[in-house]
Coordinates of all heavy atoms in Angstrom, one line a residue:
V1 N 141.9 -107.2 -38.2 CA 143.2 -106.3 -38.2 C 143.1 -105.4 -37.0 O 144.1 -105.1 -36.4 CB 143.2 -105.5 -39.5 CG1 144.4 -104.4 -39.5 CG2 143.5 -106.5 -40.7
I2 N 141.9 -104.8 -36.7 CA 141.7 -104.0 -35.5 C 142.1 -104.7 -34.2 O 142.9 -104.2 -33.4 CB 140.3 -103.4 -35.6 CG1 140.1 -102.4 -36.6 CG2 140.1 -102.7 -34.1 CD1 138.7 -101.9 -36.7
A3 N 141.6 -105.9 -34.1 CA 141.8 -106.7 -32.9 C 143.3 -107.0 -32.8 O 143.9 -107.0 -31.7 CB 141.1 -108.0 -32.9
F4 N 144.0 -107.3 -34.0 CA 145.4 -107.6 -34.0 C 146.3 -106.4 -33.5 O 147.1 -106.4 -32.7 CB 145.9 -108.0 -35.4 CG 147.2 -108.2 -35.5 CD1 147.9 -109.4 -35.1 CD2 148.1 -107.3 -36.2 CE1 149.2 -109.5 -35.3 CE2 149.4 -107.4 -36.4 CZ 150.0 -108.6 -35.9
L5 N 145.9 -105.2 -34.0 CA 146.6 -104.0 -33.6 C 146.3 -103.5 -32.2 O 147.2 -102.9 -31.5 CB 146.2 -102.8 -34.6 CG 146.8 -103.0 -36.0 CD1 146.2 -101.8 -36.9 CD2 148.3 -103.0 -36.1
D6 N 145.1 -103.7 -31.7 CA 144.7 -103.3 -30.4 C 145.0 -104.2 -29.3 O 144.8 -103.7 -28.1 CB 143.2 -103.0 -30.4 CG 142.7 -101.9 -29.5 OD1 143.6 -101.0 -29.2 OD2 141.6 -102.0 -28.9
S7 N 145.5 -105.3 -29.6 CA 145.8 -106.3 -28.4 C 147.3 -105.9 -27.9 O 148.1 -105.3 -28.7 CB 145.8 -107.6 -28.9 OG 146.7 -107.9 -30.0
P8 N 147.6 -106.1 -26.7 CA 148.9 -105.7 -26.1 C 150.0 -106.5 -26.8 O 149.8 -107.7 -27.2 CB 148.7 -106.1 -24.7 CG 147.6 -107.0 -24.5 CD 146.7 -106.7 -25.7
P9 N 151.2 -106.0 -27.0 CA 152.3 -106.7 -27.5 C 152.6 -107.9 -26.7 O 152.6 -107.9 -25.5 CB 153.4 -105.7 -27.6 CG 152.8 -104.4 -27.5 CD 151.5 -104.6 -26.6
V10 N 153.1 -109.0 -27.4 CA 153.5 -110.2 -26.8 C 154.8 -110.6 -27.3 O 155.0 -110.6 -28.5 CB 152.4 -111.4 -26.9 CG1 153.0 -112.7 -26.3 CG2 151.0 -110.9 -26.3
D11 N 155.7 -111.0 -26.5 CA 157.0 -111.5 -27.0 C 156.9 -112.9 -27.5 O 156.6 -113.9 -26.8 CB 158.0 -111.5 -25.8 CG 159.5 -111.9 -26.3 OD1 159.6 -112.1 -27.5 OD2 160.3 -111.9 -25.5
T12 N 157.0 -113.0 -28.8 CA 156.8 -114.3 -29.5 C 158.1 -114.9 -30.0 O 158.1 -115.7 -30.9 CB 155.8 -114.2 -30.6 OG1 156.3 -113.2 -31.5 CG2 154.4 -113.8 -30.1
G13 N 159.2 -114.4 -29.5 CA 160.5 -114.9 -29.9 C 160.9 -114.5 -31.3 O 161.2 -115.4 -32.2
G14 N 160.8 -113.2 -31.6 CA 161.3 -112.8 -32.9 C 160.3 -112.3 -33.9 O 160.6 -111.9 -35.0
N15 N 159.0 -112.3 -33.5 CA 157.9 -111.9 -34.4 C 157.9 -110.4 -34.4 O 157.6 -109.7 -33.4 CB 156.5 -112.4 -33.9 CG 155.5 -112.0 -35.0 OD1 155.3 -110.9 -35.4 ND2 154.5 -113.0 -35.2
V16 N 158.4 -109.8 -35.5 CA 158.5 -108.4 -35.6 C 157.2 -107.6 -35.4 O 157.2 -106.6 -34.7 CB 159.1 -108.0 -37.0 CG1 159.1 -106.5 -37.3 CG2 160.5 -108.6 -37.2
A17 N 156.2 -108.1 -36.0 CA 154.8 -107.4 -35.9 C 154.4 -107.3 -34.4 O 153.9 -106.3 -34.0 CB 153.8 -108.2 -36.7
Q18 N 154.6 -108.4 -33.7 CA 154.2 -108.4 -32.3 C 155.0 -107.3 -31.5 O 154.5 -106.7 -30.6 CB 154.4 -109.7 -31.7 CG 153.4 -110.8 -32.2 CD 152.0 -110.6 -31.6 OE1 151.8 -109.9 -30.7 NE2 151.1 -111.4 -32.0
A19 N 156.3 -107.1 -31.9 CA 157.1 -106.3 -31.1 C 156.9 -104.8 -31.4 O 157.4 -104.0 -30.7 CB 158.6 -106.6 -31.3
L20 N 156.3 -104.5 -32.5 CA 156.1 -103.1 -33.0 C 154.7 -102.6 -33.0 O 154.4 -101.7 -33.8 CB 156.7 -103.0 -34.4 CG 158.2 -103.2 -34.6 CD1 158.6 -103.2 -36.0 CD2 159.0 -102.3 -33.7
R21 N 153.8 -103.1 -32.1 CA 152.4 -102.7 -32.2 C 152.1 -101.7 -31.1 O 152.1 -102.0 -30.0 CB 151.5 -103.9 -32.1 CG 151.5 -104.8 -33.2 CD 150.5 -105.8 -33.2 NE 150.6 -106.5 -31.8 CZ 149.9 -107.5 -31.5 NH1 149.0 -108.0 -32.2 NH2 150.0 -108.0 -30.3
P22 N 151.8 -100.4 -31.5 CA 151.2 -99.5 -30.5 C 149.7 -99.7 -30.5 O 149.1 -100.4 -31.2 CB 151.5 -98.1 -31.2 CG 151.5 -98.4 -32.7 CD 152.0 -99.7 -32.8
R23 N 149.0 -99.0 -29.4 CA 147.6 -99.2 -29.3 C 146.9 -98.3 -30.3 O 147.5 -97.3 -30.7 CB 147.2 -98.8 -27.8 CG 147.8 -99.6 -26.8 CD 147.3 -101.1 -26.9 NE 145.9 -101.2 -26.6 CZ 145.5 -101.5 -25.4 NH1 146.3 -101.7 -24.4 NH2 144.1 -101.6 -25.1
L24 N 145.7 -98.6 -30.8 CA 145.0 -97.8 -31.7 C 144.2 -96.7 -31.1 O 143.8 -96.8 -30.0 CB 144.0 -98.8 -32.5 CG 144.5 -99.6 -33.7 CD1 143.3 -100.4 -34.2 CD2 145.0 -98.7 -34.7
G25 N 144.0 -95.6 -31.9 CA 143.2 -94.5 -31.5 C 141.7 -94.8 -31.9 O 141.4 -95.4 -32.9
A26 N 140.8 -94.2 -31.2 CA 139.4 -94.4 -31.4 C 139.0 -93.7 -32.7 O 138.1 -94.3 -33.4 CB 138.5 -93.8 -30.3
D27 N 139.6 -92.6 -33.1 CA 139.3 -92.0 -34.3 C 139.5 -92.8 -35.6 O 138.7 -92.9 -36.5 CB 140.0 -90.6 -34.5 CG 139.5 -89.6 -33.5 OD1 138.4 -89.8 -32.9 OD2 140.2 -88.6 -33.2
A28 N 140.7 -93.5 -35.5 CA 141.1 -94.4 -36.7 C 140.1 -95.5 -36.8 O 139.7 -96.0 -37.9 CB 142.5 -94.9 -36.5
V29 N 139.7 -96.1 -35.6 CA 138.8 -97.2 -35.7 C 137.4 -96.8 -36.2 O 136.8 -97.5 -37.0 CB 138.6 -97.8 -34.3 CG1 137.6 -98.8 -34.2 CG2 140.0 -98.4 -33.7
R30 N 136.9 -95.6 -35.8 CA 135.6 -95.1 -36.3 C 135.7 -94.9 -37.8 O 134.9 -95.2 -38.5 CB 135.2 -93.8 -35.5 CG 134.6 -94.1 -34.2 CD 133.9 -92.8 -33.7 NE 134.9 -91.7 -33.5 CZ 135.5 -91.5 -32.3 NH1 135.3 -92.4 -31.2 NH2 136.4 -90.5 -32.2
E31 N 136.8 -94.3 -38.2 CA 136.9 -93.9 -39.6 C 136.9 -95.2 -40.5 O 136.3 -95.3 -41.5 CB 138.1 -93.1 -39.8 CG 138.3 -92.5 -41.3 CD 139.5 -91.7 -41.5 OE1 140.3 -91.4 -40.6 OE2 139.7 -91.3 -42.7
I32 N 137.7 -96.2 -40.1 CA 137.9 -97.3 -40.9 C 136.6 -98.2 -40.9 O 136.3 -98.8 -41.9 CB 139.1 -98.2 -40.4 CG1 139.6 -99.1 -41.6 CG2 138.8 -99.1 -39.2 CD1 140.9 -99.7 -41.4

C-alpha cells in the first residue's frame, strides 16, 4: 500500500486511484 501511494501518478485511462494519489509524508510511513 505504501509503494502504491508513494509512486508517481500514471494516466491509466480512467483509473480513479491512479489519478488521485498525492505523495506520502515520512511521518505517516514511520507511524504505520
Side-chain angles (χ1 to χ4, degrees):
V1 172
I2 290 174
F4 176 77
L5 292 175
D6 207 29
S7 58
V10 176
D11 185 2
T12 58
N15 187 312
V16 175
Q18 290 282 355
L20 296 176
R21 287 186 314 182
R23 300 295 293 267
L24 278 179
D27 291 343
V29 172
R30 280 194 298 270
E31 186 180 357
I32 202 165

